[in-house]
Amino acid sequence: MADALLAAALLCANDPKVRCVVLTGAGKMFCVGGDISEFALNGDAIDPFLARLAGTLHQALSQFAAMNKPMIALVNGTAAGAGLSMAISGDIVLADPNAKFTTAYLGIGVTPDGGMTWLLPRLVGMRAAQEMILTNRRLDAAEAASIGLITRVATTDALMEEGAALAAQLAQGAVGAMGQARRLLHDSFRSGFASQMDRELSSITAAGNGPEGREGIDAFLSKRKPDFQGGA
């Protein structure tokens, strides 16, 4: 699955026809992480096995993070371990009311991967991240939304419908500018205030002179809806 996820990430990131990416699960679970029975089967070869598994997952998530388009995560069920890392990697995260969230790693004596130790403190704060990782406490969807782990809880039985509507809305928007905005947000955690404003200056200047900026400004002045798909 990690190999397939990387292939999908490369396709989504590099196909200009793809304007918004939706990541979700099939069946009752979103994703509950690695197959522990496979961990055991690899025995003395666990080092290279985990290196390849986690390394491939990291390549996929890096592609999703760096792509010049938004990503929505629709959490249809339990998200645990690397599944939690994938779930919270979306720019907007919607969850089914029955979804559950847990870190799971320490329960089998291993440490987090998939960018969890980068994402969690930034989303929920260090104290909550410490508790989640060290105790494996399980959160329901309502609590996950209340602490900022996810964006919001979807209406009962309407997760996919709401996700599709949101994806369509984003896909019709200024996708290139969204990609630059998500990059600015990522960069902000390693930047000082002045240097971040310098990045913003470079970005807004380029965006304003680009096809999306020109289309958006012209549409605003003409009092019409912008066509970003034609102007991107």
Side-chain angles (χ1 to χ4, degrees):
M1 190 182 75
D3 290 333
L5 185 67
L6 176 56
L10 287 166
L11 175 64
C12 291
N14 294 287
D15 186 347
K17 295 179 181 177
V18 176
R19 296 177 58 82
C20 180
V21 175
V22 177
L23 180 65
T24 190
K28 295 181 179 180
M29 307 293 183
F30 174 80
C31 177
V32 292
D35 186 342
I36 309 305
S37 62
E38 286 292 323
F39 289 18
L41 286 174
N42 278 272
D44 294 337
I46 190 71
D47 295 27
F49 171 79
L50 287 177
R52 184 180 184 281
L53 177 62
T56 304
L57 172 65
H58 291 178
Q59 290 179 64
L61 293 177
S62 292
Q63 288 292 321
F64 285 135
M67 66 186 180
N68 207 33
K69 59 198 75 176
M71 184 168 81
I72 300 168
L74 302 180
V75 187
N76 56 301
T78 297
L84 176 59
S85 297
M86 288 190 283
I88 62 178
S89 66
D91 298 302
I92 300 177
V93 183
L94 308 185
D96 182 89
N98 295 315
K100 300 290 189 294
F101 303 83
T102 184
T103 59
Y105 292 95
L106 274 295
I108 60 168
V110 298
T111 55
D113 64 352
M116 183 180 292
T117 57
W118 191 92
L119 283 164
L120 265 186
R122 287 163 170 78
L123 293 171
V124 304
M126 181 60 79
R127 283 290 176 239
Q130 288 170 319
E131 183 192 22
M132 287 182 64
I133 290 174
L134 298 179
T135 69
N136 295 326
R137 188 168 71 85
R138 178 171 292 200
L139 281 64
D140 61 22
E143 184 178 5
S146 72
I147 68 172
L149 185 67
I150 64 173
T151 308
R152 63 178 172 86
V153 182
T155 306
T156 301
D157 297 326
L159 176 66
M160 296 303 164
E161 181 181 350
E162 292 183 21
L166 177 59
Q169 175 189 335
L170 293 180
Q172 293 172 11
V175 167
M178 290 180 201
Q180 293 301 316
R182 73 200 297 262
R183 190 167 293 114
L184 284 168
L185 287 169
H186 283 168
D187 288 345
S188 69
F189 288 102
R190 60 180 177 86
S191 176
F193 183 57
S195 59
Q196 183 65 11
M197 287 195 295
D198 287 342
R199 288 190 176 92
E200 291 178 342
L201 176 60
S202 296
S203 182
I204 195 172
T205 302
N209 192 41
E212 288 181 342
R214 291 177 179 275
E215 168 62 13
I217 293 168
D218 183 69
F220 179 84
L221 294 176
S222 302
K223 295 182 169 48
R224 62 175 176 82
K225 183 178 179 179
D227 178 15
F228 290 118
Q229 296 183 74

